[in-house]
Amino acid sequence: MPSSPVASPSPSTDPERTRQLRRVALSGLLGTAVEFYDFLVYGTVAALVFGELFFPGADPAVGTIAAFGTFAAGYVARPLGGIVFGHFGDRLGRKSMLLLTMGLMGGASFLIGLLPTYDTVGVWAPVLLIALRVLQGIAIGGEWGGATLMVVEHAGERRRGLWSSFTQMGAPLGSLLSSLVVTLVVAMPREQFTAWGWRVPFLLSVVLLGVGLFVRLKVVESPLFAEVKKDRAEARLPILDVLRRPRPLLLACCVGIGAFTAQSLLTSYLIAYATGVGYARPQVLTALTVSAAVALVVLPCASALSDRVGRRPVVLTGAVLSAATAFPVLALIDSESPGALILAVVIGHGIAQSTMYGPLGALLTEMFGTRVRYTGASLGYQGATLIGAGFSPMIAGSLVAGSGNGTPVALLLCGGSLITALAVAFVRETSRTSLSGAAARLPATARSEEITA
């Protein structure tokens, strides 16, 4: 017979569990900060010097490798990481996988800072760079899901949204840190930056890595997974259980598309678009920095509100706000006023996108049972990243080049928000769903009707 349900820890009555919950939340914050720091540093530095250092255009073979590497790192590695780390996270445990993902993420970034360039080792330079990016992508694919569900599973039945927001806050924190470091090194003379300055942001990632690993070593395993392990009820192949009834996975993916579309268009793509309009790069970085600071406030507020009124109303509000402000935001950017640029990014990213993104951590993890939660949440999140963040900048760039104006950017923002709003309509409210007991130990295939309409 199955063991009796284990009550979720109550942070207000158990001091040790409260300490553990705080450590888990800090662990999630640092993990996501490392992820976004590495991602944004790579994107910025690559645009500035990697072409001449690693992918000289005179060599066609190097151009082919560069194209393949971009595809592999951006579109294959993350979902693959979600499958691999999700499988072992649901089979062996969350903590060990999170130590591994953080070590791989930070370690790969540090090694990029030590790489020889094309002039030193020839074609091996881009090969090594691509290999490290693929490794980084695989690690990132398993990081968010594990970090978020650890927080949610430790939090128990109350305030899961608020506690999971710490993981979400790692995104603007990583953005702030990367903007600060990149701004400092870009100010160096061009010769010094090309010779060695570009390496500094990558080498500094070892600091975040060390702090993050120190915190994670002190975290205990998820109590809900420990109960599954005790009952020997682990899923043999979690990915098959998730795919056998794919509706929760598809809904989880669609719910996140709006947030990631807005995130990619108003951060990564904005650098290229705004500088094309006429802004200086420091002005764009300043706008992104201010927006990230606003997001650090909005994210926990939206997440805490979702504990009170539900995940669905908050995510829907963010989606509607993102769609309603898409064209005004674009008009502000096109005004070529630095103040208007800051206001635009704050509205579109700092407020609207953060309102959508904040409750996602709790919502996606609550949509899957404990036995397959790592796999299901990771694939849902990475699927949304793939479609929203992976394809949107490429589509926007092509459409803007063809039309000669930025209207396609606003239309993409509206489209992503509409997908999120429609998906929310088909997701049952999960903020009151119990994660403990027998229901939480069932696979998503048996539980999908219980948690989705």
Side-chain angles (χ1 to χ4, degrees):
M1 292 181 63
S3 61
S4 58
V6 176
S8 297
S10 173
S12 62
T13 60
D14 190 331
E16 176 56 30
R17 283 176 174 169
T18 300
R19 284 192 292 271
Q20 281 297 327
L21 180 55
R22 289 171 179 167
R23 288 174 186 166
V24 170
L26 178 59
S27 166
L29 173 70
L30 293 172
T32 310
V34 170
E35 171 187 341
F36 276 82
Y37 175 88
D38 290 343
F39 172 77
L40 294 171
V41 161
Y42 183 92
T44 305
V45 175
L48 294 174
V49 295
F50 275 6
E52 60 184 278
L53 295 178
F54 290 93
F55 307 109
D59 190 336
V62 174
T64 302
I65 293 172
F68 177 78
T70 302
F71 174 84
Y75 296 94
V76 175
R78 283 193 177 206
L80 177 61
I83 294 172
V84 172
F85 287 105
H87 173 83
F88 290 105
D90 285 325
R91 291 282 299 164
L92 304 178
R94 286 57 161 123
K95 178 181 176 179
S96 58
M97 293 304 104
L98 287 176
L99 287 171
L100 184 55
T101 56
M102 178 172 277
L104 288 175
M105 281 194 310
S109 184
F110 181 77
L111 289 175
I112 288 175
L114 298 177
L115 281 179
T117 62
Y118 187 86
D119 289 340
T120 304
V121 296
V123 73
W124 283 107
V127 168
L128 291 172
L129 177 64
I130 292 167
L132 289 174
R133 282 298 289 171
V134 170
L135 181 63
Q136 209 172 44
I138 291 173
I140 289 172
E143 166 64 29
W144 180 91
T148 303
L149 68 87
M150 272 284 277
V151 177
V152 171
E153 290 179 347
H154 271 274
E157 306 304 330
R158 298 174 61 184
R159 297 196 297 172
R160 295 193 298 251
L162 175 61
W163 283 108
S164 67
S165 70
F166 283 88
T167 303
Q168 310 295 76
M169 289 166 63
L173 178 60
S175 178
L176 277 173
L177 293 174
S178 65
S179 296
L180 175 63
V181 174
V182 170
T183 299
L184 291 176
V185 296
V186 167
M188 299 172 62
R190 176 69 182 182
E191 296 77 14
Q192 294 182 21
F193 178 72
T194 304
W196 58 270
W198 67 269
R199 300 179 184 273
V200 174
F202 295 102
L203 297 176
L204 286 178
S205 67
V206 76
V207 178
L208 278 175
L209 173 62
V211 175
L213 289 176
F214 176 78
V215 173
R216 285 195 172 173
L217 285 170
K218 294 180 175 294
V219 170
V220 300
E221 184 57 86
S222 156
L224 293 181
F225 179 79
E227 183 67 15
V228 168
K229 195 75 174 175
K230 178 182 177 183
D231 292 347
R232 298 184 178 181
E234 306 96 324
R236 293 186 61 186
L237 290 172
I239 183 63
L240 293 184
D241 283 343
V242 171
L243 294 179
R244 195 171 291 126
R245 290 279 187 88
R247 193 181 187 208
L249 176 61
L250 293 175
L251 286 174
C253 174
C254 290
V255 165
I257 285 176
F260 287 111
T261 299
Q263 182 182 74
S264 63
L265 292 178
L266 296 175
T267 56
S268 302
Y269 179 72
L270 180 71
I271 296 176
Y273 181 81
T275 52
V277 170
Y279 293 98
R281 184 175 293 271
Q283 293 174 327
V284 182
L285 291 175
T286 298
L288 293 176
T289 301
V290 174
S291 173
V294 172
L296 283 172
V297 177
V298 175
L299 279 170
C301 291
S303 301
L305 182 62
S306 76
D307 286 329
R308 298 181 64 87
V309 304
R311 319 290 184 221
R312 297 171 72 242
V314 177
V315 175
L316 181 60
T317 298
V320 171
L321 184 61
S322 180
T325 59
F327 283 93
V329 161
L330 184 66
L332 287 170
I333 295 173
D334 286 343
S335 70
E336 301 185 37
S337 165
L341 175 65
I342 293 175
L343 180 61
V345 183
V346 166
I347 293 173
H349 181 260
I351 298 175
Q353 189 274 344
S354 297
T355 303
M356 278 191 287
Y357 185 63
L360 277 186
L363 175 59
L364 267 59
T365 55
E366 290 164 350
M367 292 176 68
F368 299 92
T370 304
R371 296 175 71 235
V372 297
R373 185 169 291 133
Y374 204 138
T375 300
S378 294
L379 285 181
Y381 183 89
Q382 298 306 333
T385 302
L386 173 65
I387 299 171
F391 294 148
S392 293
M394 178 180 62
I395 296 172
S398 300
L399 294 177
V400 168
S403 65
N405 60 68
T407 300
V409 178
L411 291 175
L412 284 171
L413 285 172
C414 291
S417 300
L418 178 62
I419 293 173
T420 291
L422 290 175
V424 167
F426 289 93
V427 175
R428 183 179 172 184
E429 181 56 58
T430 62
S431 60
R432 302 293 184 264
T433 300
S434 174
L435 299 184
S436 62
R441 295 197 295 272
L442 291 174
T445 57
R447 201 172 171 234
S448 57
E449 287 93 4
E450 177 191 340
I451 60 175
T452 57

